[in-house]
Amino acid sequence: MLAFIIRRLGQALLVLMAVGFVSFAMFKFMGDPVESMLGQEATAADRAELEERLGLNDPIIVQYVRYFQRAMSGDFGVSYRVGLPVGEVILERLPATLELAFLSGVIAISLGFMLGVYTAIRRDGYVANFIMTASLIGVSLPTFLIGVFLIWLFAVNLGWLPSFGRGDTRSLFGVDLAILTVDGLKSMILPAITLGLYQMTLIMRLVRSEMLEVLRTDYIRFARARGLSQKTVNFGHAMKNTMVPVITVTGLQFGSIVAFAIITESVFQWPGVGLLFINAVNFVDIPVMSAYLLLVAVIFVTINLIVDLLYFTIDPRLSVGNN
Amino acid sequence: MTKTFLKLTAASVALCAGLSAANAETLRWARAGDSLTLDPHAQNEGPTHTLAHQMYEPLLQRDMEAQIIPALATSWEPTEDPTVWEFKLREGVKFHGGEDFTADDVVFSFKRAMMPTSAMKELLNSIKDVRKVDDYTVHFETDGPNPLLPNNMTNLFIMDSGWATDNGCEAPQDIANGGDNPCVRAVNGTGAFVLESRKQDSETILKQNPNYWGKGEFPLEVTEIIYTPIQEGATRVSALLSGEVDLIQDVPVQDLPIVERTDGLKLNTAAQNRTIFFGMNQGADDLASDTVDGKNPLADNRVREAMNIALNRDAIKKIVMRDQSAPTGVIMPPFVNGWTEALDGYPEYDVAKAKALMEEAGYGDGFGLTLNCPNDRYVNDEGICQAAVGMLGQIGVKVNLDAKPKAQHFPLIQNKETDFYMLGWGVPTFDSEYIFNFLTHTTTDKLGSWNATGYSNPDLDAKIKSLASETDQEVRNATIAEIWDTVKSENLYLPIHNQVLNWGMADKINFAVQPEDQPHFKFLTFN
């Protein structure tokens, strides 16, 4: 187990370095940060001077090594756009994204699981068919449209929920969280649904097909034949075995919820790292973009590790094989 | 006795609290972008200046009609020596922290804004020295007479020298070297509003300054400002429709009718200080992107004339801009010094005439070239370019449209890597010289930095240079008129239109749109 974790951590470092380098190489095509940083009155001499000071004239590999060395010691530079240390800015925004991702993950997993099990057990029922059809909308509509539609319905027409921002926050161990206040929770509902809808339908469809698969297997038939109640068969035996693939996908999906909250956050002006990133792209704020991409890589690597460890606990066959 | 007294005090405190609550008017304001920094000299950018204006003050500022009015200076004029301007300062002004405002602060702030890490230094490069004469008099010495010195100062904010020094921000922050300073997060100005709290990209709260010198001079009806950037147009409009905000800037053109139709909301409109136009590389011997070998079709004025005639500006206004633009024949908005109605006139759209000109120039079969266009900078920028592609196609100019985000578009112009491009230009000094310096003068180290047309006319350059130190307004204006005549007759640029600004707001607000898109909330009144 320990050797496994150490091996994975070594791989993780390689992944981070690769992500860092690829993103750094990409920035050459992002445009010119100097252009956004200087006013329109700047002269050619000013531009040349700033480029030199930012080190943009060095070869990419030199810039990258310099950046990675500093990043390893926790120094991600200063944002070109807001002029604050990148580490500070990201740490300030990260709780907003994490709590939004957490809530939308909870919604997606619980609803997705319940609906998936339901549609599998009642596979020919009207309600189940309706849910299956409706879920197609969740998969096929772009996030932006869903968000704007929810705003139009719940904020503009019904006036129930706020259309933007994070609402009141309360500090917990020095971290500002919106999830702790009523106003904050109200602000979270629409973005959390928008962000979680795709994941929910995905989980639901996955749970349904896995469950159907399991329900067809021999041991379920024998269980039924032994006269176990329908409930015990469905929830005690069948459901447990649908878990493994579902956990993998759910874990990875949580990663993408965090990483790709960009659209939802910009539609709802949710002040998280996604919004920070999209603004950084518009401004060619290279320090923020680099740090964000590294952060996303860290999140994915961590989640993968957790998912692998969960396998061991859920599926005993794996740990037997490992020993 | 004491008890009664206490009760009385409590009652009167409660009464006062009740009263002030009744009078307090909070304004919830949203626009697309947030201010970049609170350091007043670190960025030269519209939304950043706009927020700073509520808290910091310049020596003189532009009011809601964009006229220059006194702020921290009460009078300003050249002394007997035309290279020295004397500014008299307002007395009895205090900074938010309680410090007195004096000439030392002015000298400090200008010197700070002229440092290498400042983004404001280019606007001040004619200033040689700033000197304190006495506590309320300052002299500015310029390199040669500079009649436009005051015009360059309307966004130059005054900080308290003691506060800035104590906080370690004597210099604007040096982003390139990881420099950080507290003035990026905190404000100590003389302005009508005091910073209460700020979360970048999320929410900034300002409270009225109880010691503001302008009490009685300005309405000052807003007691609290809650400023939230909302970058998605649809969300911004929704926030206004649902009553979550009271005033929005940057109303998307397609949403104007909704705002106008909604009860309790209104839409205010004004011409913006920004002209949209196309630039053509007419200086090169051969173009990189065209289909003509060894020649540059854009070098022929008849071709440029034909393209100018082929642009149907009224159709662009009607279809692309939904009437929210003012077609123009010159690259400056009407309130800029040098503007005339004759210059503003644009040729009638006439395909036959344009085709004849193309034929005459030897391009009867037309030619192809690439148009570089931004897609996230100006109102419907890409739509305008698409319309122009169709219109130019009618006279045989086959345009290949290349639309990119501004971060990639502007470097093409700066590095002169484009043959045909869209650009928008605002004139913060409200004088033609500013336009000539950047767009008409031959590209040199200091001038012509945005002139990607390759156009170079030494005679015109000499005239432009002469404007900087010409103190006789009549002579100066005559030169300006001459330069515009040349620019127009040579079709140096193809002007499209002046942008129109729209602010959507609740009915209870009386507020005119400011041509620089800078609301100054001390002027705002409620019904």
Side-chain angles (χ1 to χ4, degrees):
Chain A
M1 185 85 160
L2 193 67
F4 172 77
I5 293 180
I6 290 172
R7 204 165 61 231
R8 289 301 299 264
L9 285 179
Q11 288 170 354
L13 194 68
L14 282 178
V15 169
L16 290 184
M17 287 180 74
V19 167
F21 185 71
V22 169
S23 60
F24 231 83
M26 268 175 4
F27 296 144
K28 273 282 158 203
F29 306 99
M30 291 294 309
D32 188 354
V34 173
E35 201 59 52
S36 327
M37 292 173 74
L38 294 172
Q40 64 179 18
E41 286 93 1
T43 61
D46 292 330
R47 261 190 292 279
E49 194 221 274
L50 184 59
E51 266 171 21
E52 191 56 45
R53 283 202 296 142
L54 291 173
L56 296 173
N57 295 328
D58 298 334
I60 285 192
I61 189 84
V62 174
Q63 293 185 41
Y64 173 66
V65 169
R66 196 168 49 212
Y67 176 81
F68 202 80
Q69 277 172 348
R70 287 217 320 242
M72 289 301 281
S73 64
D75 175 12
F76 293 93
V78 171
S79 160
Y80 295 168
R81 186 172 73 92
V82 299
L84 299 171
V86 174
E88 179 188 320
V89 179
I90 288 191
L91 277 183
E92 191 193 310
R93 306 293 184 86
L94 197 57
T97 297
L98 287 181
E99 68 175 350
L100 183 64
F102 173 75
L103 185 65
S104 76
V106 167
I107 294 175
I109 293 171
S110 54
L111 271 181
F113 214 87
M114 279 175 352
L115 293 177
V117 171
Y118 178 83
T119 47
I121 297 173
R122 297 274 156 80
R123 62 182 293 197
D124 294 321
Y126 288 117
V127 180
N129 276 327
F130 173 78
I131 293 172
M132 288 307 291
T133 316
S135 76
L136 283 175
I137 298 173
V139 185
S140 52
L141 270 187
T143 315
F144 179 83
L145 265 188
I146 294 172
V148 170
F149 171 76
L150 290 177
I151 289 176
W152 176 80
L153 185 65
F154 291 104
V156 178
N157 282 327
L158 298 171
W160 292 349
L161 297 167
S163 59
F164 73 95
R166 209 176 160 204
D168 289 340
T169 56
R170 187 175 295 171
S171 182
L172 184 73
F173 304 122
V175 179
D176 284 337
L177 292 175
I179 208 162
L180 301 175
T181 67
V182 176
D183 189 50
L185 264 180
K186 277 170 84 175
S187 301
M188 282 179 84
I189 295 174
L190 295 185
I193 292 176
T194 309
L195 187 56
L197 201 61
Y198 177 80
Q199 270 70 30
M200 191 200 83
T201 45
L202 198 76
I203 292 170
M204 176 191 123
R205 292 181 153 254
L206 189 74
V207 167
R208 176 176 179 273
S209 62
E210 282 297 323
M211 187 91 177
L212 287 176
E213 192 81 18
V214 172
L215 286 176
R216 276 197 290 271
T217 52
D218 287 340
Y219 77 88
I220 296 291
R221 276 189 223 154
F222 286 127
R224 288 219 178 95
R226 281 174 59 203
L228 294 179
S229 76
Q230 191 70 13
K231 211 165 129 193
T232 320
V233 173
N234 282 342
F235 295 100
H237 295 255
M239 211 166 85
K240 202 172 170 193
N241 282 299
T242 64
M243 294 284 273
V244 173
V246 173
I247 283 176
T248 319
V249 171
T250 310
L252 289 179
Q253 285 303 314
F254 184 76
S256 52
I257 286 183
V258 176
F260 306 116
I262 295 171
I263 297 170
T264 307
E265 288 191 5
S266 66
V267 169
F268 290 94
Q269 193 68 27
W270 187 264
V273 284
L275 188 67
L276 183 71
F277 180 70
I278 195 78
N279 282 322
V281 170
N282 288 333
F283 202 86
V284 201
D285 190 349
I286 293 176
V288 168
M289 286 191 285
S290 319
Y292 175 83
L293 290 174
L294 280 183
L295 175 75
V296 168
V298 167
I299 290 175
F300 271 92
V301 166
T302 314
I303 287 174
N304 266 329
L305 188 63
I306 294 173
V307 167
D308 285 348
L309 293 178
L310 272 180
Y311 282 172
F312 282 100
T313 43
I314 289 181
D315 195 337
R317 283 172 300 182
L318 285 175
S319 42
V320 169
N322 197 43
N323 291 337
Chain B
M1 171 83 182
T2 343
K3 253 189 176 169
T4 338
F5 177 73
L6 270 179
K7 264 187 187 164
L8 262 175
T9 324
S12 58
V13 165
L15 197 67
C16 285
L19 274 178
S20 64
N23 290 335
E25 277 278 14
T26 295
L27 181 88
R28 292 160 305 162
W29 158 48
R31 68 185 301 175
D34 198 0
S35 153
L36 300 175
T37 171
L38 295 178
D39 185 327
H41 307 132
Q43 295 279 0
N44 181 9
E45 191 243 11
T48 307
H49 286 329
T50 303
L51 184 68
H53 265 292
Q54 319 303 331
M55 300 178 283
Y56 280 111
E57 287 178 303
L59 291 181
L60 24 118
Q61 69 162 112
R62 290 191 183 275
D63 66 7
M64 294 301 287
E65 280 88 46
Q67 299 297 320
I68 292 184
I69 57 165
L72 286 177
T74 48
S75 68
W76 55 95
E77 55 195 358
T79 56
E80 306 227 317
D81 175 359
T83 62
V84 176
W85 281 72
E86 180 168 284
F87 279 67
K88 286 280 181 198
L89 306 181
R90 194 176 293 280
E91 298 186 21
V93 176
K94 286 202 183 298
F95 284 93
H96 295 166
E99 306 88 344
D100 286 317
F101 160 71
T102 64
D104 291 323
D105 302 316
V106 176
V107 173
F108 170 83
S109 299
F110 272 85
K111 294 232 156 119
R112 186 178 192 268
M114 287 154 70
M115 288 182 179
T117 53
S118 156
M120 303 302 292
K121 58 179 185 292
E122 286 83 12
L123 284 166
L124 306 174
N125 56 19
S126 73
I127 299 177
K128 233 163 81 185
D129 194 22
V130 192
R131 284 188 300 267
K132 169 185 174 175
V133 178
D134 60 48
D135 267 358
Y136 295 102
T137 313
V138 176
H139 277 177
F140 289 88
E141 189 185 342
T142 55
D143 270 329
N146 180 4
L148 286 187
L149 184 71
N151 297 44
N152 281 336
M153 293 185 173
T154 54
N155 287 321
L156 209 290
F157 301 102
I158 306 299
M159 305 170 87
D160 178 59
S161 55
W163 176 79
T165 314
D166 292 347
N167 280 292
C169 32
E170 296 95 332
Q173 78 168 149
D174 183 2
I175 292 175
N177 291 318
D180 186 12
N181 74 46
C183 301
V184 178
R185 302 173 184 79
V187 171
N188 186 18
T190 57
F193 297 92
V194 182
L195 181 70
E196 176 94 0
S197 69
R198 172 160 170 83
K199 282 185 193 148
Q200 175 86 30
D201 291 339
S202 171
E203 186 181 72
T204 304
I205 299 178
L206 314 179
K207 287 266 193 316
Q208 204 187 89
N209 175 3
N211 305 315
Y212 187 52
W213 61 266
K215 284 208 161 165
E217 279 193 44
F218 304 101
L220 288 168
E221 291 189 10
V222 177
T223 51
E224 184 190 40
I225 300 171
I226 300 177
Y227 166 46
T228 39
I230 306 179
Q231 61 196 46
E232 284 303 333
T235 314
R236 198 160 56 245
V237 172
S238 299
L240 181 69
L241 294 179
S242 64
E244 289 166 89
V245 296
D246 307 312
L247 170 78
I248 61 169
Q249 289 174 263
D250 318 296
V251 186
V253 173
Q254 63 274 14
D255 292 332
L256 294 172
I258 306 174
V259 175
E260 223 163 12
R261 269 203 316 265
T262 306
D263 285 340
L265 295 182
K266 66 180 172 188
L267 196 66
N268 284 355
T269 302
Q272 187 184 7
N273 186 352
R274 174 163 282 133
T275 306
I276 306 296
F277 53 87
F278 292 127
M280 296 159 289
N281 182 354
Q282 45 213 274
D285 293 331
D286 191 13
L287 297 180
S289 76
D290 69 349
T291 55
V292 183
D293 270 340
K295 268 201 299 185
N296 176 359
L298 296 176
D300 192 320
N301 193 15
R302 287 169 296 189
V303 173
R304 302 199 295 270
E305 176 84 41
M307 287 164 74
N308 201 20
I309 295 174
L311 287 175
N312 188 346
R313 292 168 176 82
D314 298 312
I316 293 177
K317 173 185 176 174
K318 210 168 153 209
I319 313 284
V320 183
M321 303 300 288
R322 309 201 191 195
D323 278 330
Q324 297 298 313
S325 70
T328 176
V330 68
I331 55 169
M332 66 177 152
F335 27 71
V336 170
N337 177 36
W339 184 89
T340 63
E341 210 153 308
L343 286 170
D344 198 50
Y346 51 93
E348 202 175 325
Y349 166 68
D350 187 341
V351 174
K353 193 173 158 196
K355 269 186 165 163
L357 272 167
M358 289 286 284
E359 191 80 50
E360 206 185 306
Y363 295 101
D365 297 332
F367 59 89
L369 87 168
T370 297
L371 169 62
N372 294 111
C373 186
N375 57 17
D376 60 350
R377 181 62 184 88
Y378 310 114
V379 180
N380 290 346
D381 37 17
E382 195 177 350
I384 299 166
C385 288
Q386 276 167 352
V389 168
M391 290 164 188
L392 293 172
Q394 290 182 312
I395 61 163
V397 182
K398 291 173 275 298
V399 180
N400 168 31
L401 178 59
D402 186 5
K404 290 194 183 89
K406 58 177 184 284
Q408 287 147 41
H409 176 74
F410 288 125
L412 295 178
I413 299 177
Q414 293 272 286
N415 302 327
K416 325 280 189 237
E417 286 165 353
T418 168
D419 295 331
F420 188 26
Y421 57 92
M422 172 187 266
L423 183 60
W425 200 254
V427 194
T429 61
F430 289 68
D431 184 89
S432 295
E433 184 195 339
Y434 183 90
I435 307 174
F436 299 147
N437 280 345
F438 290 101
L439 299 173
T440 315
H441 195 283
T442 308
T443 303
T444 64
D445 257 3
K446 291 223 153 153
L447 297 169
S449 51
W450 287 88
N451 177 5
T453 62
Y455 179 80
S456 175
N457 180 342
D459 180 40
L460 211 59
D461 291 352
K463 284 181 183 164
I464 293 169
K465 279 232 175 77
S466 78
L467 294 175
S469 52
E470 181 56 70
T471 44
D472 185 334
Q473 279 304 326
E474 256 173 59
V475 176
R476 192 169 179 277
N477 285 341
T479 314
I480 289 178
E482 281 172 36
I483 300 172
W484 276 123
D485 275 344
T486 312
V487 169
K488 183 142 176 158
S489 64
E490 303 231 3
N491 292 298
L492 181 54
Y493 290 101
L494 304 178
I496 308 290
H497 55 233
N498 297 314
Q499 284 193 161
V500 169
L501 282 173
N502 294 290
W503 292 356
M505 60 189 88
D507 263 343
K508 63 172 181 181
I509 297 173
N510 292 317
F511 209 32
V513 175
Q514 211 259 10
E516 292 179 298
D517 209 9
Q518 278 190 351
H520 296 291
F521 291 109
K522 61 183 177 185
F523 290 101
L524 186 145
T525 59
F526 294 100
N527 287 333

